Amino acid sequence: MLTNNPAVSKFTNILAIESSCDETAAAVISNDHVLSNIIASQAVHQFYGGVIPELASRAHQQKIIPVVDEALRKAGISENDLDAIAFTRGPGLMGALLVGVSFAKAFAMALDIPLIEVNHMQAHVLAHFIRKEFPGGKLSPVPAFPFLCLTVSGGHTQIVLVKGHLQMEVIGQTLDDAAGEAFDKSAKILGLPYPGGPLIDKYAKEGNPHAFPFPFPQIPGLDFSFSGLKTSFLYFIRDALVKDSGFIEKNKADICASIQYTIVEILLRKVKKASEQTGITEVALAGGVSANSGLRNAFLKMKDEAGWNVFIPPFEYCTDNAAMIGIAGYYKFLKGEFAGQNITPLARLNF
Ligand code: KG4
Ligand code: ZN
């Protein structure tokens, strides 16, 4: 056992693999601490304005071994120090998932260690339980059960009632587009490259969020809808360009601030409703869109406005990463929830 890491002998070391969409990622975690977290993003999709599934699978195939190798090296451990391998079983793109699942199965068999299947959406929520040690030995705070988690990514928008590490219930979700798609499709209409969410965030910082009002969907309960907003945004830009072909360039910041404000308000209003209905004021954000500064600020304001205890993950654990797969794997390891070698990925996977 060649290692210079003192955590190795005392702790559970898990190698985690994430390959559900367009990030090839591997991480090593030791209990609830991250030893390494490597992400190889796939630039190839930028040329097409969205993720091309077949290109994603091929890029995963190329990158998986170097990424795992780097994760082990950065963690300072050898593969013989691993206690289990966790991987994303779904939801995601089938061809992309297959690469990670096949790699995890083969590596676990070669090392004769257990396999742990992880639900990608559950992992986004559990990213909140990755612990960091502050100077002086104090640990980063974690949400108390039960809490509400708004999980907002490129493929999903969910309000999750989290009763325990592995006890979660989706109490609201999108009926059509996800919040990330609403950002990315709006960006595409503005001629911005994929993924456009971070660019809208960037331009919105200089703009007036009330410059251009957009309609709010009237969906009962805790569910969301973003397709109507997308259509009205498309028509708004189309009509404005007929009158002035330079409209987007002249008003980019105000347009981005206005669409961002509308998406954030749609999300916030539903989470407020969920908090009122359940009486829960412990509220967390998760998923790629939780990197959005407008959303983060709107949630942080709720501390003063409604006494919420707000949890927002560090940026590196908001967008897709393998550390979150590792922490989910750790909680399953503690319960002895292992997968067999006959496991297959699932493009659609609920919890
Ligand atoms: O969780 P994630 O990395 O991947 C999925 O599981 O889908 O989320 C990706 C989504 C994309 O739609 C991307 O545009 C969005 O998160 N996103 C943002 C920001 N950063 C990432 N959207 C708005 N503002 C951001 N700063
Ligand atoms: Zn994700």
Side-chain angles (χ1 to χ4, degrees):
M1 224 187 266
L2 269 179
T3 174
N4 53 12
N5 191 319
V8 165
S9 53
K10 290 178 278 167
F11 293 96
T12 301
N13 297 317
I14 297 178
L15 170 69
I17 312 285
E18 153 64 29
S19 73
S20 64
C21 191
D22 59 343
E23 324 274 5
T24 315
V28 177
I29 72 156
S30 184
N31 287 6
D32 50 7
H33 283 61
V34 175
L35 299 185
S36 65
N37 186 33
I38 309 298
I39 302 172
S41 297
Q42 304 179 354
V44 62
H45 306 291
Q46 275 179 6
F47 302 110
Y48 300 94
V51 177
I52 308 292
E54 169 145 354
L55 295 182
S57 315
R58 289 190 212 174
H60 284 307
Q61 194 72 261
Q62 283 175 333
K63 289 178 178 183
I64 189 117
I65 289 179
V67 163
V68 168
D69 201 42
E70 195 181 342
L72 287 170
R73 245 179 324 110
K74 278 242 166 88
I77 69 170
S78 103
E79 61 256 39
N80 298 321
D81 299 317
L82 294 173
D83 297 293
I85 298 185
F87 63 91
T88 304
R89 186 183 187 194
L93 302 170
M94 180 49 82
L97 290 165
L98 268 167
V99 178
V101 176
S102 305
F103 177 87
K105 284 166 76 168
F107 205 23
M109 184 181 255
L111 296 172
D112 196 20
I113 54 175
L115 265 177
I116 304 169
E117 60 155 303
V118 169
N119 179 308
H120 180 92
M121 298 312 295
Q122 218 167 29
H124 270 301
V125 176
L126 290 171
H128 286 282
F129 293 90
I130 294 171
R131 301 304 286 265
K132 244 193 179 143
E133 220 165 272
F134 296 125
K138 212 175 154 221
L139 286 175
S140 54
V142 295
F145 301 118
F147 66 92
L148 295 173
C149 186
L150 174 69
T151 313
V152 269
S153 72
H156 293 80
T157 301
Q158 301 177 331
I159 300 177
V160 185
L161 172 59
V162 190
K163 299 175 212 160
H165 291 114
L166 301 173
Q167 264 184 295
M168 302 184 193
E169 190 190 329
V170 176
I171 58 172
Q173 59 192 318
T174 183
L175 304 176
D176 40 57
D177 289 351
E181 273 176 291
F183 272 106
D184 294 340
K185 287 179 178 172
S186 302
K188 199 171 181 175
I189 292 167
L190 296 176
L192 299 172
Y194 176 85
L199 290 168
I200 294 209
D201 193 359
K202 183 179 142 195
Y203 295 123
K205 290 194 173 104
E206 311 293 323
N208 171 9
H210 304 292
F212 305 110
F214 295 108
F216 282 82
Q218 304 295 322
I219 308 293
L222 298 176
D223 288 335
F224 303 90
S225 167
F226 288 101
S227 67
L229 177 63
K230 177 186 64 190
T231 309
S232 70
F233 186 70
L234 177 70
Y235 290 164
F236 167 76
I237 295 294
R238 188 195 60 184
D239 295 348
L241 284 176
V242 170
K243 289 184 205 136
D244 175 5
S245 62
F247 178 78
I248 294 177
E249 268 323 300
K250 286 179 204 154
N251 298 282
K252 202 184 254 174
D254 283 349
I255 300 169
C256 289
S258 300
I259 192 72
Q260 175 167 300
Y261 167 79
T262 312
I263 296 170
V264 167
E265 268 297 305
I266 291 171
L267 294 169
L268 184 64
R269 286 181 192 182
K270 289 289 174 157
V271 181
K272 277 184 187 169
K273 196 169 182 180
S275 169
E276 280 156 21
Q277 280 182 10
T278 58
I280 296 172
T281 52
E282 194 88 350
V283 181
L285 270 181
V289 181
S290 58
N292 182 267
S293 56
L295 185 63
R296 293 166 90 92
N297 291 336
F299 269 67
L300 288 172
K301 269 195 197 145
M302 293 303 291
K303 281 185 182 178
D304 293 332
E305 265 178 43
W308 284 8
N309 203 11
V310 176
F311 294 84
I312 303 176
F315 282 109
E316 71 259 39
Y317 304 139
C318 287
T319 45
D320 285 351
N321 67 88
M324 70 183 196
I325 306 302
I327 190 80
Y330 172 62
Y331 285 107
K332 289 194 140 186
F333 185 96
L334 293 180
K335 291 201 142 196
E337 287 185 21
F338 300 122
Q341 273 288 341
N342 59 349
I343 193 145
T344 54
L346 291 172
R348 288 170 174 270
L349 180 60
N350 296 325
F351 55 82

